[in-house]
C-alpha cells in the first residue's frame, strides 16, 4: 500500500540575485532581480507502507527540498503529492500527529533542559496517554542504552548522543512515517553504526516507514532495500539497493595507516587518492579488495586499516555515463 | 490548552539556567530607579509637584514601570523568529501539532512568570530602601484592574512581536522595524518618562494606541493616579 506518492513534483526556488558592490545593494532595495533555481524537477516516487527507503545524492541534489515538501514545510511549485492521504502543506493537525522528521542540523531538543524534560513536553504536544508514553520511552531508552543520559542537560551531550535523543523524541508518538534528513552527518563511525542499527530495529519491530536521505553510501547499503539516487533535482535510479551497488559501485576506498614511515608499493589497477608520511588512501576495484588487503597486511606493519564505500559522486558519475 | 501550559513551563525552566541574565536584569532595574532618583531630585528642586505628581509618587512610578517593563519579554519573540526564519530552523515549529502563534505566546508567558517572581523581589527592595510606602495607594479593586490590564498589555506586545517576526518572510531584513518598535514602545509606554509630562494633545492621542495600556496606565493606577 502506498503511503507516499508524488507525481511530477517540482520545486523552483526564486533566489534574489544580489548585485555587486554598494551601488548594487542600493539598487536591490528598490528593484530586485530574481533567478530561478529548480531544486526538484518532475520527481515521481512511491513509498510503500513499512518500507525503509534511502534517498541518496551529492550535496545540492535536492534531497532536503524533497523532504521539506513531503513534510509540508514548503509547498511544491508543480505536481501532485500525497502523504498518508494528506496534502502535506495544508499542515493539518491530524497529519502532523502521524509523522516525525529529524533533520541533521535542526534540533527539537531544549539545550538548557534535559531530554527527560523535552520528552514530557512532547507527551503533551502529541497528547500521548501516560501508559503509552512510559512504554515507548522505556523501549527506546533500552534500545539505545541511554538511561544515564536522560537527565543530563542536552548542551552537555556529544553530537552522537544528541542525535539518539533526537530520534527518541521523534519516535515517542509512534509516527507512521519517519523522515530523516542526513541523520549521520558529522557523526563518527561508531555513532553512525549505532544510529543505523537503531533505525533498522525500529523499522522492523514497529513497522515504521522510514525515508532517509544521506550522501553516505554506507548508510543506505546497510539499511535500505530500496534506494533512490538523485542529482540536480532529478531521479537517476530507483530500485533495489543491492542491484545499485552491483551495477554502479565499482570500487572501494581503502585507508591504510602504517606503523612507521613505509614507502609502500601500489598494487596494479589501484589509484592513489591521498598519500602522506604514514597514511595512504586508495581507490581499488571492488573485486580485488581482499587481495589488496592481504597484500598490505602480509608485507607491511600496519597500525590501522579501513575500507569504505565509494563516494556518491563517483557512483552518480557512473550512472550518468551509462544512461 | 494543557500543551501550552507545558510549553510555558519548559521555557520557565530554561530561564532558571540563566541566572546571570536574571542578575543583570535586576541590576538594570535598580540602576534605572537610582538614576530616576538623582535626576528627579534635581528637577524637583524648589518644587512641590510636577505634572501633578510629588517627588515620591514620581519615584514610585519609576519603580513600578520599570518592573512592568522588565516583564515584557516579547521582543525576544520577534528576535528569535527572524533568526529562525533566516537560518531555516523555524520549520521545527511547523512540523509539530501546535499552533505556532500560541506556542510563542506560551513561551513568552513562561519567561514572564519567572522574571515576574525575581523582579517582584527587587521591587519590594526598591520600595523598602527608598522608604516610600506603596501600600497606602492600593486597594483590591485597583490591584485587580491593574493586573488584568498588565496581562492584556503583555499579550498585546507578544502578538505584535509575533507579527513583526512573520514580516521576515516578506522583507528578509527586519532589524530596522525592530529598532523602531523598541524605541517607539519604550517612549510611548512611558518607560522613559511618565506620559503625564507630555502636552495634553499628545497624551490624548496616545490613548488610542494600545501601548498606552501596557506600562503607563497600570503604573499610574498602582501609584494611585488615574492617568
Ligand atoms: N531557500 C532556498 N532558496 C533558494 N535556493 C535554495 C533554497 N534551498 C535550497 N536551494 C537550492 O536548491 C538546491 C537543492 O538544495 P537542497 O535540497 O538543500 O539539496 P541537498 O539537501 O540535496 O543538499 C541547491 O542548489 C540549493 O542551492
Ligand atoms: Mg540537505
Amino acid at each position: 500500500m502506498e503511503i507516499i506518492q508524488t507525481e511530477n513534483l517540482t520545486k523552483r526556488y526564486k533566489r534574489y540575485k544580489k548585485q555587486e558592490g554598494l551601488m548594487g545593494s542600493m539598487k536591490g532595495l528598490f528593484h530586485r532581480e530574481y533567478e530561478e533555481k529548480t531544486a526538484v524537477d518532475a520527481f515521481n516516487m512511491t513509498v510503500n507502507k513499512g518500507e525503509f527507503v534511502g534517498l541518496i545524492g551529492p550535496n545540492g541534489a535536492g534531497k532536503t527540498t524533497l523532504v521539506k515538501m513531503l513534510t509540508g514545510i514548503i509547498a511544491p511549485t508543480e505536481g501532485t503529492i500525497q502523504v498518508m492521504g494528506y496534502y502535506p502543506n495544508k499542515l493539518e493537525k491530524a497529519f502532523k500527529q502521524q509523522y516525525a522528521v529529524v533533520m541533521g542540523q535542526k534540533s527539537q531538543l531544549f539545550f538548557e533542559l534535559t531530554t527527560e524534560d523535552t520528552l514530557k513536553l512532547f507527551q503533551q504536544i502529541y497528547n500521548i496517554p501516560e501508559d503509552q508514553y512510559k512504554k515507548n520511552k522505556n523501549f527506546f531508552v533500552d534500545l539505545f542504552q541511554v538511561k544515564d543520559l536522560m537527565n543530563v542537560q542536552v548542551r552537555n551531550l556529544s553530537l552522537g548522543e544528541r542525535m539518539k535523543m533526537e530520534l527518541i523524541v521523534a519516535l515517542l508518538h509512534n509516527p507512521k512515517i519517519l523522515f530523516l534528513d542526513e541523520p549521520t552527518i558529522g557523526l563518527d563511525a561508531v555513532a553512525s553504526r549505532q544510529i543505523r542499527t537503531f533505525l533498522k530495529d525500529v523499522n522492523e519491530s514497529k513497522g515504521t516507514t522510514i525515508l532517509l536521505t544521506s550522501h553516505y553510501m554506507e548508510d543506505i547499503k546497510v539499511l535500505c532495500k530500496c534506494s533512490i539516487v538523485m542529482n540536480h533535482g532529478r531521479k537517476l535510479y530507483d530500485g533495489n539497493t543491492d542491484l545499485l551497488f552491483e551495477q554502479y559501485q565499482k570500487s572501494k576506498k581503502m585507508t591504510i595507516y602504517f606503523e612507521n614511515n613505509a614507502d609502500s608499493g601500489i598494487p596494479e589497477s589501484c589509484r592513489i587518492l591521498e598519500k602522506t608520511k604514514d597514511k595512504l588512501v586508495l581507490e581499488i576495484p571492488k573485486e580485488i579488495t581482499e587481495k589488496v588487503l592481504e597484500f598490505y597486511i602480509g608485507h607491511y606493519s600496519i597500525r590501522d586499516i579501513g575500507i569504505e564505500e565509494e563516494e556518491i559522486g563517483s557512483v552518480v558519475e557512473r550512472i550518468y555515463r551509462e544512461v | 490548552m494543557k500543551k501550552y501550559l507545558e510549553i510555558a513551563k519548559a521555557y520557565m525552566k530554561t530561564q532558571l539556567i540563566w541566572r546571570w541574565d536574571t542578575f543583570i536584569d535586576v541590576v538594570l532595574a535598580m540602576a534605572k530607579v537610582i538614576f530616576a532618583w538623582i535626576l528627579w531630585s534635581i528637577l524637583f528642586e524648589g518644587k512641590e509637584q510636577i505634572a501633578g505628581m510629588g517627588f515620591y509618587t514620581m519615584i514610585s512610578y519609576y519603580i513600578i514601570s520599570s518592573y512592568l517593563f522588565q516583564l515584557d519579554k516579547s521582543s525576544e519573540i520577534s528576535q528569535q523568529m527572524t533568526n529562525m526564519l533566516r537560518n531555516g530552523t523555524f520549520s521545527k515549529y511547523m512540523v509539530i501539532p501546535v499552533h505556532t502563534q500560541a506556542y510563542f505566546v506560551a513561551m513568552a508567558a513562561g519567561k514572564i512568570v519567572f522574571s515576574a517572581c525575581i523582579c517582584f523581589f527587587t521591587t519590594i527592595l526598591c520600595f523598602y530602601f527608598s522608604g516610600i510606602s506603596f501600600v497606602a495607594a492600593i486597594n483590591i479593586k485597583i490591584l485587580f484592574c491593574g493586573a488584568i490590564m498588565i496581562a492584556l498589555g503583555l499579550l498585546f506586545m507578544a502578538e505584535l512581536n509575533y507579527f513583526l517576526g512573520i514580516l521576515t518572510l516578506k522583507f528578509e531584513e527586519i532589524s530596522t522595524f525592530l529598532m523602531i518598535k523598541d524605541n517607539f514602545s519604550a517612549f510611548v509606554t512611558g518607560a522613559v518618562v511618565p506620559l503625564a509630562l507630555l502636552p495634553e494633545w499628545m497624551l490624548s492621542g496616545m490613548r488610542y494606541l494600545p501601548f498606552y495600556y501596557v506600562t503607563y496606565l497600570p503604573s499610574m493606577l498602582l501609584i494611585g493616579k488615574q492617568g
Side-chain angles (χ1 to χ4, degrees):
Chain A
M1 204 187 75
E2 301 112 24
I3 195 161
I4 298 175
Q5 196 162 35
T6 77
E7 221 165 286
N8 244 332
L9 191 67
T10 303
K11 177 72 194 180
R12 278 188 290 273
Y13 285 116
K14 256 192 195 171
R15 270 196 289 214
Y16 163 44
K17 220 164 85 187
K18 202 164 174 350
Q19 287 158 352
E20 269 173 42
L22 186 64
M23 273 311 284
S25 301
M26 293 292 277
K27 257 191 241 161
L29 279 178
F30 304 103
H31 177 74
R32 289 194 168 174
E33 274 177 47
Y34 291 94
E35 59 180 3
E36 283 208 332
K37 161 88 198 176
T38 308
V40 172
D41 196 3
F43 208 91
N44 296 331
M45 74 185 275
T46 308
V47 175
N48 291 317
K49 208 165 166 224
E51 266 187 318
F52 197 140
V53 178
L55 181 67
I56 185 156
N59 282 322
K63 305 182 293 292
T64 302
T65 306
L66 189 58
V67 170
K68 280 183 178 168
M69 285 193 280
L70 292 172
T71 50
I73 295 169
I74 55 175
T77 317
E78 261 168 46
T80 59
I81 182 168
Q82 176 266 114
V83 179
M84 296 181 286
Y86 294 91
Y87 176 73
N89 196 237
K90 266 196 193 159
L91 291 169
E92 283 161 272
K93 205 169 144 223
F95 172 59
K96 292 197 268 189
Q97 194 80 32
Q98 294 182 58
Y99 75 88
V101 53
V102 175
M103 300 207 168
Q105 259 98 4
K106 294 166 200 173
S107 183
Q108 283 288 7
L109 300 166
F110 287 73
F111 278 41
E112 300 88 353
L113 305 183
T114 65
T115 310
E116 194 74 54
D117 288 325
T118 310
L119 285 178
K120 286 215 186 83
L121 175 61
F122 272 67
Q123 180 191 4
Q124 294 305 326
I125 287 180
Y126 284 97
N127 251 326
I128 307 170
E130 188 63 26
D131 50 335
Q132 191 201 329
Y133 169 76
K134 282 220 180 86
K135 210 177 91 204
N136 265 358
K137 193 179 87 180
N138 292 338
F139 177 85
F140 294 122
V141 169
D142 283 346
L143 200 56
F144 259 146
Q145 298 173 346
V146 286
K147 201 164 177 147
D148 18 329
L149 296 178
M150 298 308 286
N151 287 307
V152 175
Q153 222 185 52
V154 171
R155 64 170 57 251
N156 297 327
L157 297 176
S158 74
L159 191 62
E161 288 166 344
R162 217 177 70 210
M163 184 47 72
K164 291 177 197 168
M165 298 308 184
E166 215 74 66
L167 287 170
I168 296 177
V169 169
L171 288 164
L172 194 68
H173 63 284
N174 271 340
K176 294 204 178 98
I177 310 181
L178 174 64
F179 295 95
L180 297 160
D181 192 24
E182 315 236 12
T184 55
I185 199 160
L187 298 188
D188 62 26
V190 179
S192 307
R193 202 172 317 124
Q194 286 173 336
I195 300 270
R196 279 186 217 122
T197 321
F198 176 81
L199 291 174
K200 206 176 166 78
D201 235 330
V202 170
N203 172 248
E204 280 163 8
S205 62
K206 298 238 162 195
T208 313
T209 310
I210 302 183
L211 180 79
L212 173 139
T213 84
S214 182
H215 63 267
Y216 301 121
M217 293 293 278
E218 197 74 41
D219 278 344
I220 62 159
K221 179 169 188 180
V222 201
L223 293 174
C224 315
K225 236 184 237 132
C226 295
S227 299
I228 299 171
V229 182
M230 75 184 293
N231 196 24
H232 299 308
R234 287 182 164 274
K235 194 162 83 176
L236 298 182
Y237 178 92
D238 186 351
N240 190 287
T241 308
D242 293 336
L243 217 60
L244 171 74
F245 277 82
E246 220 166 274
Q247 273 184 305
Y248 300 107
Q249 175 85 321
K250 301 289 184 195
S251 46
K252 298 221 176 203
K253 196 166 110 181
M254 189 180 284
T255 310
I256 310 152
Y257 293 92
F258 296 102
E259 200 58 77
N260 37 37
N261 199 350
D263 209 10
S264 62
I266 309 292
E268 226 177 296
S269 69
C270 292
R271 199 160 68 86
I272 301 176
L273 294 174
E274 190 192 332
K275 187 176 180 187
T276 59
K277 225 169 56 195
D278 61 343
K279 182 184 170 192
L280 181 66
V281 185
L282 291 177
E283 185 190 281
I284 49 183
K286 70 175 174 196
E287 315 80 60
I288 63 165
T289 317
E290 251 170 73
K291 263 198 265 167
V292 176
L293 195 63
E294 277 166 20
F295 168 78
Y296 279 106
I297 292 175
H299 291 77
Y300 300 92
S301 52
I302 282 163
R303 188 153 52 87
D304 196 8
I305 197 161
I307 302 170
E308 286 166 66
E309 300 300 334
E310 197 175 24
E311 273 166 22
I312 177 68
S314 329
V315 175
V316 166
E317 261 172 46
R318 217 165 281 131
I319 298 177
Y320 273 130
R321 239 177 285 149
E322 292 209 2
V323 293
Chain B
M1 205 52 216
K2 191 159 174 228
K3 66 173 89 163
Y4 298 104
L5 208 65
E6 204 65 29
I7 291 166
K9 228 162 81 189
Y11 278 98
M12 197 176 89
K13 267 199 216 162
T14 65
Q15 292 302 99
L16 290 171
I17 313 296
W18 302 110
R19 287 189 210 111
W20 187 241
D21 256 27
T22 317
F23 177 71
I24 293 197
D25 262 16
V26 168
V27 170
L28 281 179
M30 294 270 213
K32 205 167 149 192
V33 173
I34 293 171
F35 271 125
W37 184 288
I38 296 170
L39 183 77
W40 288 101
S41 53
I42 296 169
L43 293 175
F44 267 95
E45 200 97 10
K47 282 190 198 119
E48 274 292 300
Q49 286 204 327
I50 294 181
M53 289 201 257
F55 178 69
Y56 287 108
T57 318
M58 187 64 88
I59 298 301
S60 310
Y61 174 82
Y62 273 89
I63 295 175
I64 291 189
S65 72
S66 86
Y67 173 65
L68 295 183
F69 197 66
Q70 296 284 308
L71 288 191
D72 181 19
K73 295 282 173 225
S74 58
S75 57
E76 285 170 30
I77 294 181
S78 46
Q79 222 23 278
Q80 198 179 341
M81 281 177 67
T82 31
N83 290 341
M84 295 188 120
L85 284 169
R86 268 205 245 150
N87 62 27
T89 41
F90 190 76
S91 56
K92 77 180 212 185
Y93 302 108
M94 298 172 67
V95 296
I96 52 176
V98 291
H99 195 275
T100 334
Q101 195 178 334
Y103 185 101
F104 277 89
V105 171
M107 175 184 105
K111 292 180 175 181
I112 287 169
V113 169
F114 174 72
S115 61
C117 298
I118 296 292
C119 296
F120 187 70
F121 177 70
T122 333
T123 307
I124 299 284
L125 272 185
C126 281
F127 274 116
Y128 179 77
F129 283 120
S130 60
I132 299 170
S133 64
F134 171 62
V135 197
I138 43 173
N139 63 44
I140 291 293
K141 207 172 121 202
I142 286 182
L143 208 57
F144 183 71
C145 290
I148 287 184
M149 209 176 278
I150 291 164
L152 287 178
L154 290 171
L155 183 66
F156 163 75
M157 289 305 279
E159 298 281 344
L160 175 72
N161 277 283
Y162 180 81
F163 286 110
L164 280 173
I166 290 283
L167 284 184
T168 314
L169 289 176
K170 183 103 187 75
F171 295 102
E172 283 161 49
E173 176 58 54
I174 63 160
S175 55
T176 329
F177 287 119
L178 296 185
M179 211 177 68
I180 294 172
K181 179 223 54 181
D182 282 340
N183 287 311
F184 185 71
S185 71
F187 178 67
V188 300
T189 56
V192 185
V193 287
L195 297 179
L197 296 180
L198 299 176
E200 183 55 38
W201 62 268
M202 237 171 145
L203 195 59
S204 56
M206 280 185 182
R207 285 207 183 98
Y208 295 103
L209 294 177
F211 295 99
Y212 183 84
Y213 304 91
V214 177
T215 315
Y216 179 67
L217 194 56
S219 299
M220 292 301 268
L221 267 182
L222 292 178
I223 59 171
K225 302 253 165 196
Q226 272 78 347

